[in-house]
Protein backbone atom coordinates (compact mmCIF):
# COMPACT_ATOMS: atom_id res chain seq x y z
CA UNK A 1 0.00 0.00 0.00
CA UNK A 2 1.13 3.53 -0.74
CA UNK A 3 2.18 5.70 2.24
CA UNK A 4 -0.78 7.46 3.79
CA UNK A 5 -3.32 5.03 2.36
CA UNK A 6 -5.52 3.01 4.68
CA UNK A 7 -7.67 -0.12 4.58
CA UNK A 8 -11.37 0.05 5.41
CA UNK A 9 -14.31 -2.30 5.89
CA UNK A 10 -18.00 -1.66 6.44
CA UNK A 11 -20.01 -4.47 8.01
CA UNK A 12 -23.81 -4.52 8.16
CA UNK A 13 -25.37 -6.84 10.74
CA UNK A 14 -29.11 -7.45 11.03
CA UNK A 15 -29.89 -9.15 14.32
CA UNK A 16 -32.31 -12.03 14.63
CA UNK A 17 -35.64 -11.14 16.23
CA UNK A 18 -34.98 -13.28 19.31
CA UNK A 19 -31.68 -11.58 20.13
CA UNK A 20 -31.48 -9.25 23.11
CA UNK A 21 -30.21 -6.17 21.31
CA UNK A 22 -28.93 -4.45 24.44
CA UNK A 23 -26.80 -7.45 25.37
CA UNK A 24 -25.47 -7.81 21.83
CA UNK A 25 -24.60 -4.11 21.61
CA UNK A 26 -22.87 -4.21 25.00
CA UNK A 27 -20.76 -7.21 23.95
CA UNK A 28 -19.94 -5.55 20.64
CA UNK A 29 -18.85 -2.38 22.44
CA UNK A 30 -16.30 -4.45 24.37
CA UNK A 31 -14.92 -5.73 21.07
CA UNK A 32 -14.95 -2.21 19.59
CA UNK A 33 -13.02 -0.72 22.52
CA UNK A 34 -10.43 -3.51 22.47
CA UNK A 35 -10.04 -3.22 18.70
CA UNK A 36 -9.18 0.46 19.00
CA UNK A 37 -6.08 -0.53 20.97
CA UNK A 38 -4.73 -2.75 18.18
CA UNK A 39 -1.61 -1.81 16.27
CA UNK A 40 -2.54 0.15 13.17
CA UNK A 41 -6.16 0.79 14.05
CA UNK A 42 -7.32 4.19 12.83
CA UNK A 43 -11.08 3.99 13.40
CA UNK A 44 -13.39 1.40 14.89
CA UNK A 45 -16.96 2.65 15.33
CA UNK A 46 -20.42 1.16 15.70
CA UNK A 47 -23.51 2.82 14.24
CA UNK A 48 -27.23 2.14 13.97
CA UNK A 49 -29.05 2.94 10.70
CA UNK A 50 -31.80 5.49 11.28
CA UNK A 51 -34.24 3.67 8.99
CA UNK A 52 -33.64 0.20 10.46
CA UNK A 53 -32.74 0.13 14.18
CA UNK A 54 -32.53 -3.68 14.07
CA UNK A 55 -29.27 -3.34 12.14
CA UNK A 56 -25.78 -2.38 13.24
CA UNK A 57 -23.03 -0.96 11.08
CA UNK A 58 -19.37 -1.42 11.97
CA UNK A 59 -16.76 0.87 10.42
CA UNK A 60 -13.25 -0.53 10.64
CA UNK A 61 -10.21 1.36 9.37
CA UNK A 62 -6.59 0.20 9.64
CA UNK A 63 -3.32 1.59 8.36
CA UNK A 64 -2.58 -1.55 6.33
CA UNK A 65 -4.39 -4.62 5.02
CA UNK A 66 -2.11 -6.83 7.11
CA UNK A 67 -3.16 -5.05 10.31
CA UNK A 68 -6.82 -5.36 9.31
CA UNK A 69 -6.34 -9.10 8.80
CA UNK A 70 -4.55 -9.41 12.15
CA UNK A 71 -7.68 -8.07 13.85
CA UNK A 72 -9.42 -11.38 13.14
CA UNK A 73 -6.71 -13.25 15.06
CA UNK A 74 -7.15 -11.30 18.28
CA UNK A 75 -8.67 -12.93 21.34
CA UNK A 76 -11.34 -10.25 21.78
CA UNK A 77 -12.55 -10.68 18.19
CA UNK A 78 -12.55 -14.47 18.43
CA UNK A 79 -14.53 -14.29 21.68
CA UNK A 80 -17.09 -11.90 20.20
CA UNK A 81 -17.49 -13.98 17.04
CA UNK A 82 -17.83 -17.31 18.88
CA UNK A 83 -20.22 -16.10 21.57
CA UNK A 84 -22.22 -13.27 20.01
CA UNK A 85 -21.74 -12.89 16.24
CA UNK A 86 -23.13 -16.36 15.61
CA UNK A 87 -25.41 -17.65 12.86
CA UNK A 88 -28.21 -17.90 15.42
CA UNK A 89 -27.88 -14.27 16.46
CA UNK A 90 -27.36 -12.66 13.07
CA UNK A 91 -30.08 -12.90 10.42
CA UNK A 92 -28.05 -11.09 7.76
CA UNK A 93 -24.39 -10.09 7.47
CA UNK A 94 -22.62 -8.16 4.74
CA UNK A 95 -18.94 -7.27 4.88
CA UNK A 96 -17.41 -5.09 2.20
CA UNK A 97 -13.73 -4.22 2.04
CA UNK A 98 -12.49 -1.01 0.49
CA UNK A 99 -9.49 0.82 -0.83
CA UNK A 100 -9.53 4.35 0.58
CA UNK A 101 -9.21 6.90 -2.22
CA UNK A 102 -9.74 9.94 0.01
CA UNK A 103 -9.13 9.94 3.74
CA UNK A 104 -5.68 9.81 5.32
CA UNK A 105 -5.27 8.30 8.79
CA UNK A 106 -5.31 11.82 10.25
CA UNK A 107 -8.51 12.73 8.37
CA UNK A 108 -10.31 9.66 9.73
CA UNK A 109 -9.50 10.58 13.33
CA UNK A 110 -12.35 13.01 13.79
CA UNK A 111 -14.52 13.49 16.86
CA UNK A 112 -17.18 10.97 15.85
CA UNK A 113 -19.30 11.82 18.90
CA UNK A 114 -19.60 15.38 17.54
CA UNK A 115 -20.71 14.10 14.12
CA UNK A 116 -24.44 14.29 14.77
CA UNK A 117 -25.24 13.86 11.07
CA UNK A 118 -23.33 11.01 9.44
CA UNK A 119 -24.27 9.51 6.08
CA UNK A 120 -22.87 6.49 4.26
CA UNK A 121 -23.61 7.07 0.58
CA UNK A 122 -23.75 3.89 -1.53
CA UNK A 123 -23.06 4.41 -5.24
CA UNK A 124 -23.03 2.04 -8.23
CA UNK A 125 -21.25 3.50 -11.25
CA UNK A 126 -21.52 2.75 -14.93
CA UNK A 127 -18.42 0.68 -15.61
CA UNK A 128 -15.71 2.72 -17.27
CA UNK A 129 -16.62 5.97 -15.48
CA UNK A 130 -14.68 5.26 -12.28
CA UNK A 131 -11.70 7.55 -12.98
CA UNK A 132 -13.83 10.49 -14.08
CA UNK A 133 -16.11 10.04 -11.07
CA UNK A 134 -13.07 10.06 -8.78
CA UNK A 135 -11.84 13.28 -10.38
CA UNK A 136 -15.11 15.11 -9.70
CA UNK A 137 -15.42 13.62 -6.23
CA UNK A 138 -11.98 14.92 -5.29
CA UNK A 139 -13.10 18.36 -6.48
CA UNK A 140 -16.21 18.14 -4.29
CA UNK A 141 -14.18 16.93 -1.31
CA UNK A 142 -11.78 19.87 -1.65
CA UNK A 143 -14.73 22.24 -1.60
CA UNK A 144 -16.06 20.56 1.54
CA UNK A 145 -12.68 20.89 3.24
CA UNK A 146 -12.11 24.51 2.17
CA UNK A 147 -15.56 26.02 2.63
CA UNK A 148 -17.73 23.92 4.96
CA UNK A 149 -16.62 24.60 8.52
CA UNK A 150 -19.10 22.15 10.05
CA UNK A 151 -17.94 19.26 7.90
CA UNK A 152 -15.89 16.93 10.09
CA UNK A 153 -15.05 14.32 7.49
CA UNK A 154 -15.50 13.41 3.83
CA UNK A 155 -14.08 10.01 2.86
CA UNK A 156 -14.17 8.24 -0.49
CA UNK A 157 -13.94 4.43 -0.67
CA UNK A 158 -13.67 2.01 -3.59
CA UNK A 159 -14.90 -1.57 -3.27
CA UNK A 160 -11.94 -3.94 -3.59
CA UNK A 161 -13.99 -6.57 -5.46
CA UNK A 162 -15.82 -4.17 -7.77
CA UNK A 163 -14.33 -0.69 -8.38
CA UNK A 164 -17.65 0.46 -9.87
CA UNK A 165 -19.16 0.25 -6.37
CA UNK A 166 -18.04 3.18 -4.24
CA UNK A 167 -18.99 4.71 -0.92
CA UNK A 168 -18.80 8.22 0.49
CA UNK A 169 -18.71 8.73 4.25
CA UNK A 170 -19.89 12.24 5.11
CA UNK A 171 -19.79 13.48 8.71
CA UNK A 172 -21.24 16.83 9.79
CA UNK A 173 -21.81 18.44 13.16
CA UNK A 174 -25.54 18.84 12.50
CA UNK A 175 -28.32 18.11 10.02
CA UNK A 176 -28.60 21.72 8.85
CA UNK A 177 -24.95 21.78 7.78
CA UNK A 178 -25.31 18.47 5.95
CA UNK A 179 -28.35 19.83 4.13
CA UNK A 180 -26.55 23.10 3.31
CA UNK A 181 -23.84 21.05 1.58
CA UNK A 182 -26.35 20.30 -1.19
CA UNK A 183 -26.60 24.02 -2.00
CA UNK A 184 -22.87 24.61 -2.38
CA UNK A 185 -21.30 25.34 -5.76
CA UNK A 186 -18.87 22.43 -5.50
CA UNK A 187 -21.65 19.93 -4.72
CA UNK A 188 -23.94 21.22 -7.49
CA UNK A 189 -21.12 20.95 -10.02
CA UNK A 190 -20.34 17.41 -8.81
CA UNK A 191 -24.01 16.39 -8.93
CA UNK A 192 -24.44 17.58 -12.52
CA UNK A 193 -21.14 16.11 -13.69
CA UNK A 194 -21.69 12.61 -12.28
CA UNK A 195 -25.41 12.26 -13.01
CA UNK A 196 -24.91 10.11 -16.09
CA UNK A 197 -22.26 8.00 -14.34
CA UNK A 198 -24.80 6.47 -11.96
CA UNK A 199 -25.82 2.91 -12.85
CA UNK A 200 -28.71 3.36 -10.41
CA UNK A 201 -29.82 6.09 -8.00
CA UNK A 202 -27.36 6.55 -5.14
CA UNK A 203 -28.58 5.75 -1.63
CA UNK A 204 -27.74 7.79 1.44
CA UNK A 205 -27.80 5.73 4.63
CA UNK A 206 -28.12 7.93 7.72
CA UNK A 207 -26.50 6.38 10.80
CA UNK A 208 -26.22 7.29 14.46
CA UNK A 209 -23.20 6.53 16.64
CA UNK A 210 -23.63 3.95 19.39
Amino acid sequence: QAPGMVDAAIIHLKLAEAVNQDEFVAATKVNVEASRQEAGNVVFQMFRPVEDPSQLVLLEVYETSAQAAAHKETEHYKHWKANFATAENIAFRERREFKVLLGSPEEWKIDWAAALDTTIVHISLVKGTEEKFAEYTRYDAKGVKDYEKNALGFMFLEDREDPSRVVLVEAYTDAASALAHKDTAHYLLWKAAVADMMAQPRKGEKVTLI
Side-chain angles (χ1 to χ4, degrees):
Q1 287 176 297
M5 297 306 292
V6 293
D7 186 273
I10 297 176
I11 300 94
H12 282 78
L13 302 173
K14 185 173 181 65
L15 304 184
E17 290 185 8
V19 173
N20 183 313
Q21 291 203 21
D22 291 340
E23 289 183 2
F24 188 93
V25 166
T28 304
K29 279 186 175 181
V30 173
N31 179 54
V32 167
E33 292 293 340
S35 300
R36 290 174 181 163
Q37 307 309 312
E38 294 171 22
N41 181 257
V42 178
V43 171
F44 211 110
Q45 297 288 1
M46 175 168 51
F47 301 93
R48 195 187 301 277
V50 172
E51 292 186 359
D52 187 357
S54 69
Q55 284 198 49
L56 299 175
V57 179
L58 298 177
L59 173 62
E60 306 173 3
V61 183
Y62 286 83
E63 291 179 0
T64 68
S65 297
Q67 289 166 328
H71 163 65
K72 295 181 181 179
E73 302 302 321
T74 61
E75 291 304 316
H76 52 268
Y77 172 79
K78 289 179 179 178
H79 175 78
W80 175 75
K81 183 177 180 181
N83 294 281
F84 299 96
T86 62
E88 294 78 13
N89 288 346
I90 297 175
F92 170 81
R93 180 183 187 274
E94 180 191 54
R95 177 186 177 89
R96 294 175 61 193
E97 298 182 356
F98 298 90
K99 179 168 62 175
V100 178
L101 300 185
L102 278 178
S104 68
E106 293 72 24
E107 289 170 326
W108 279 101
K109 292 179 179 179
I110 66 175
D111 182 358
W112 289 95
L116 300 183
D117 192 292
T118 299
T119 306
I120 301 171
V121 185
H122 303 270
I123 300 171
S124 293
L125 298 172
V126 174
K127 293 187 184 299
T129 65
E130 295 89 351
E131 288 189 11
K132 205 66 179 175
F133 179 85
E135 178 184 332
Y136 282 108
T137 299
R138 288 188 175 93
Y139 168 84
D140 185 33
K142 186 178 187 304
V144 170
K145 185 176 182 178
D146 290 348
Y147 301 113
E148 298 185 49
K149 62 183 178 65
N150 290 332
L152 299 179
F154 188 101
M155 293 67 162
F156 176 26
L157 316 179
E158 178 186 88
D159 194 299
R160 288 194 179 277
E161 293 187 357
D162 182 356
S164 70
R165 297 178 69 197
V166 298
V167 162
L168 305 178
V169 180
E170 304 174 359
Y172 284 84
T173 57
D174 57 273
S177 297
L179 187 62
H181 166 66
K182 295 183 177 181
D183 290 326
T184 61
H186 47 271
Y187 170 79
L188 291 173
L189 186 151
W190 174 87
K191 181 181 178 182
V194 304
D196 291 339
M197 302 179 194
M198 302 288 169
Q200 59 190 50
R202 61 190 179 276
K203 179 185 178 183
E205 180 184 26
K206 294 281 186 182
V207 295
T208 55
L209 185 69
I210 299 177

